[in-house]
Amino acid sequence: MAEHARSGEPSEAEAGALAERLKERIYATITMIAVIVGLSFGDPGPAGAAATVLTTALALWLAAFTADQQAHRTVHRAFATGHELRRMLYVSSPLLTCAVGPGVMIALSALGAMSLRTALLTAVGLAVASLFAWGFVGGLRMGGGRLLAGLVDAGLGVAIALVKVSAGH
C-alpha cells in the first residue's frame, strides 16, 4: 500500500471502486440521454419533465443499490454494512447526480430563459459532451487515441440512447 501512496496511483481496491463508479456514471448518462430525447418529442411541461428526470435518476439508483445489496446478501449471507455499505453508496451515487444537468436546464426553461425543447436538447448535448470527455480522458490515460476514443464513446452513447428511444424506453 505504501507503494501506491508514493506513486500517486490508487490501490487496487480504490481503483476498482473508481472504475465501478465511473461505469455507473456513464450508464446513467446514456440512460438519461434516452429519457431526455423521449421527453423532447412530447410536451410534458417543465414540471413533468423535472419529475420524469428526477424519478428516473432515483429509480436507477434504487435498482442498482437493491441489486448490490441482494448480490452481497447472496454471496456473503449477510446485509452489507459498514465499509461495504459505504462503498455501495459511493459507487452508486452517480446514478442520482445524472439528473443535475438536465434538472438545471429544465429549471432555466421554467424561468423562461429558453423553451423546454431547447433545454432538453441542450441537456442531451451536455450529456453527449460528457461521454466524449470521459472517452478522451480514457484515451489520454491509455497513452494515445484521445480524440478517437472520445468520439467513439460519444457516438456509442448516442447510438445506445437512440436504440432505447426507438424501443419506446
Side-chain angles (χ1 to χ4, degrees), residues 23 26 55 57 109 150:
K23 175 196 68 154
I26 292 167
T55 57
S109 169

Side-chain angles (χ1 to χ4, degrees), residues 12-99:
E12 190 65 34
E14 291 167 336
L18 289 170
E20 287 181 50
R21 184 176 164 90
L22 181 55
K23 175 196 68 154
E24 296 292 4
R25 178 179 305 274
I26 292 167
Y27 173 76
T29 300
I30 292 168
T31 301
M32 194 58 75
I33 289 170
V35 168
I36 298 166
V37 168
L39 285 170
S40 73
F41 288 119
D43 188 21
T52 299
V53 165
L54 293 174
T55 57
T56 296
L58 182 61
L60 283 170
W61 177 75
L62 285 171
F65 184 74
T66 300
D68 284 347
Q69 190 63 263
Q70 185 173 356
H72 189 275
R73 284 192 330 261
T74 301
V75 172
H76 299 286
R77 300 179 185 190
F79 283 102
T81 59
H83 174 72
E84 294 95 5
L85 182 60
R86 285 188 300 277
R87 185 179 191 279
M88 283 179 192
L89 292 170
Y90 173 75
V91 166
S92 65
S93 65
L95 294 166
L96 291 169
T97 61
C98 72

Side-chain angles (χ1 to χ4, degrees), residues 96-116:
L96 291 169
T97 61
C98 72
V100 172
V104 168
M105 299 312 300
I106 293 167
L108 288 172
S109 169
L111 294 171
M114 64 184 81
S115 72
L116 180 58

Side-chain angles (χ1 to χ4, degrees), residues 131-154:
L131 293 175
F132 173 84
W134 284 115
F136 186 90
V137 169
L140 181 66
R141 290 187 55 88
M142 290 174 55
R146 298 172 300 272
L147 182 61
L148 181 60
L151 291 172
V152 166
D153 284 2

